[in-house]
Amino acid sequence: MSQGEQVLSYPIPSRTALEPPEEWAQLRQQCPVARVSLPSGDEATLITRYADVKQVLSDPRFTRALNADDAARISTNESGGVFNSEMATVLPQSGEGHQLWRRMISKWFTAKRMMALRPRIEAMADQLIDEMVRKGHPADLKASLGFPLPVWVICDMLGVPEADRDRFSHWSDALLNLTRFSQAEVDAAQAEFARYMAGHIAAKRAEPGDDLLSVLITDTDAAGAHMPDAGLVATGQGLLMAGHETTANMIGKMVAMLLADRGRWEQLLANPALVRTAVEEALRLDANPGFGMPRYITEEVEVAGTVLPRGTTVVCSMASANRDETVFDHAEDMDLGRSPNPHLAFGAGAHSCLGQALARTELQVVLEVLLRRLPTLELAVPADELRRVEGLVVGGLREVPVRW
Amino acid sequence: MKVSVDEAKCCGAGQCVLLAPEVFDQREDDGIVVLLDETPAEHLHDVVREAASVCPAAAIELSENA
Ligand code: HEM
Ligand code: SF4
């Protein structure tokens, strides 16, 4: 974009809930490194091409230090919500410290563990669908299935009692929304959530179970160190938030995308072996994944032939990158058998989603169980009447009304 | 086909294991990739190529004519 041209507002609004804004394709073609203004009024640089997004996310010079003095603030909400919360400052965000932390947690999210967890996720999905069917249609698939399932799974992994699970919805909403809550409300939610988690960890220390947090308390990292209490609290909070809203919304969006053109649903009914690749394709084509990933540079770096000065805040649009025609054939088409599908919905590089094997397992199981239990499932409203949630960090649909 | 993995780059996302459990595994204690088979059989080549292309950390290297 040349000097003096109008600066684009980001996020760029879409006309319908499931379709991307037209500007993405234009930006990829004409302005892959674009100046944008964020809801806070601060300026940032938007990256929209696949190769550039992948490069930025994989390059450690693009840091997550969004709390630097001259980093762009995302929202008017002073603290910047989740990006600058205590969780982001207590846990090591880069280099060796981050790797030590990550490797202590990773073993809980391996492919094998997820396969072992599968039957329990399936039983839970069946139970939630029983309840939805009992109440009758039309039903909101998001409230009946999308939201409760991932919360249940992550709480189970963390050993959080069933009765406390509703409270997490409020806390993560307050920290992830960025627009609906005042600074005081966000601070209060953050403090309550941290207090709750500290109490939970004290209880686990006194009476350990076989859950992730109990084991993490006694574990040591590769350098032989125990995780300090603040780190345990932040890890528990981080996993609950990361594992909850993203997956919950993705379940709703995936099912809506597949039902928006019922031929897709029928293709899956005829060939359930497509479930795995269909899940990847829904992740790739999610036009409403939320804000994207912000990064901050403390030195000059070149991207797509443009030199970005130190102090630049860069926003990566993975959703735009995932529609890059130079990487994906017929990028705008939903191809349920697409393979390979190297989409960037989970990011890339050292910070690439730690819970992606879990998220994939949950999405696959939900889809399998829905196809088996409710083959006649359809949207109860026209797809263009679906509405997006207003939050900023994680995108989703307000409701996914269905009947069967 | 010859496969190699870079443990230092691997971020333990497990994509390779989900796709080709005959060729890749993850260490129990930190989730880092373990290569089970450096020279996988012909019928696994496609899925190994897929694993290499979707690995989020670009930690899997293939040399096709080895
Ligand atoms: C469809 C669902 C999900 C999506 C789209 C998603 C997306 C992402 C993305 C894009 C990142 C990269 C952040 C960055 O580059 O700064 C990330 C990181 C992360 N995700 Fe997920 N995620 C999902 C589900 C989950 C689940 C179920 C968990 C598990 C509890 C989880 C845990 C994490 C953690 C801990 C990180 C930080 C990793 C690090 O900094 O090393 N996510 N996720
Ligand atoms: S897919 Fe890549 S990052 Fe993930 S476990 Fe395999 S080698 Fe490691």
Side-chain angles (χ1 to χ4, degrees), chain A residues 102-103 107 111-112 339 349, chain B residues 7 10-11 25-26 28 50 56:
Chain A
R102 182 156 169 137
R103 291 189 171 186
K107 66 172 165 198
K112 265 199 196 144
S339 168
Chain B
E7 288 183 11
C10 171
C11 65
D25 198 357
Q26 283 169 285
E28 289 277 315
E50 179 169 0

Side-chain angles (χ1 to χ4, degrees), chain B residues 10-16 26 33 55-57 59-60:
Chain B
C10 171
C11 65
Q15 263 291 77
C16 54
Q26 283 169 285
V33 63
C55 169
I60 302 172

Side-chain angles (χ1 to χ4, degrees), chain A residues 126-380:
Chain A
D126 260 312
Q127 195 184 320
L128 290 166
I129 292 171
D130 284 341
E131 231 163 275
M132 181 170 91
V133 168
R134 202 166 38 240
K135 290 187 190 149
H137 51 179
D140 177 10
L141 185 120
K142 174 176 167 180
S144 318
L145 180 62
F147 260 77
L149 186 77
V151 185
W152 179 85
V153 174
I154 191 67
C155 285
D156 192 57
M157 288 181 77
L158 295 177
V160 170
E162 189 111 33
D164 295 336
R165 295 178 188 179
D166 282 346
R167 300 163 71 184
F168 295 115
S169 300
H170 169 68
W171 292 328
S172 58
D173 198 25
L175 288 171
L176 289 173
N177 193 285
L178 288 199
T179 49
R180 190 146 50 82
F181 297 89
S182 69
Q183 183 62 44
E185 285 171 315
V186 174
D187 290 345
Q190 166 73 14
E192 252 177 61
F193 190 10
R195 217 175 312 124
Y196 175 88
M197 196 49 77
H200 179 63
I201 282 162
K204 289 291 166 192
R205 205 184 281 283
E207 232 177 292
D210 57 4
D211 55 276
L212 189 160
L213 287 172
S214 294
V215 175
L216 204 54
I217 290 169
T218 53
D219 254 4
T220 50
D221 65 22
H226 284 285
M227 195 178 282
D229 267 19
L232 292 167
V233 170
T235 300
Q237 285 184 282
L239 290 177
L240 265 165
M241 298 224 328
H244 168 199
E245 229 130 327
T246 44
T247 318
N249 280 302
M250 195 59 222
I251 290 172
K253 288 180 286 188
M254 170 181 75
V255 173
M257 279 189 250
L258 293 170
L259 293 176
D261 172 352
R262 208 148 182 304
R264 295 173 185 153
W265 193 256
E266 272 146 33
Q267 200 187 340
L268 286 168
L269 286 170
N271 184 6
L274 288 174
V275 163
R276 181 183 73 78
T277 46
V279 164
E280 299 306 316
E281 187 68 341
L283 286 160
R284 182 182 76 85
L285 278 183
D286 177 10
N288 175 23
F291 189 79
M293 282 302 142
R295 293 288 194 266
Y296 170 79
I297 43 176
T298 55
E299 57 188 291
E300 203 177 271
V301 187
E302 192 176 314
V303 178
T306 304
V307 175
L308 303 175
R310 57 175 293 193
T312 302
T313 301
V314 175
V315 177
C316 292
S317 172
M318 289 97 85
S320 165
N322 285 341
R323 289 168 181 263
D324 190 327
E325 304 77 2
T326 63
V327 176
F328 300 98
D329 290 337
H330 306 288
E332 295 297 321
D333 296 344
M334 189 164 203
D335 170 359
L336 301 184
R338 191 183 290 276
S339 168
N341 188 346
H343 65 74
L344 300 174
F346 293 114
H351 288 282
S352 142
C353 181
L354 177 74
Q356 54 187 289
L358 175 58
R360 288 188 157 103
T361 306
E362 292 179 274
L363 290 163
Q364 289 169 14
V365 168
V366 162
L367 192 49
E368 278 161 14
V369 176
L370 280 174
L371 288 163
R372 169 166 58 76
R373 295 287 308 277
L374 302 174
T376 57
L377 195 69
E378 59 184 12
L379 283 178

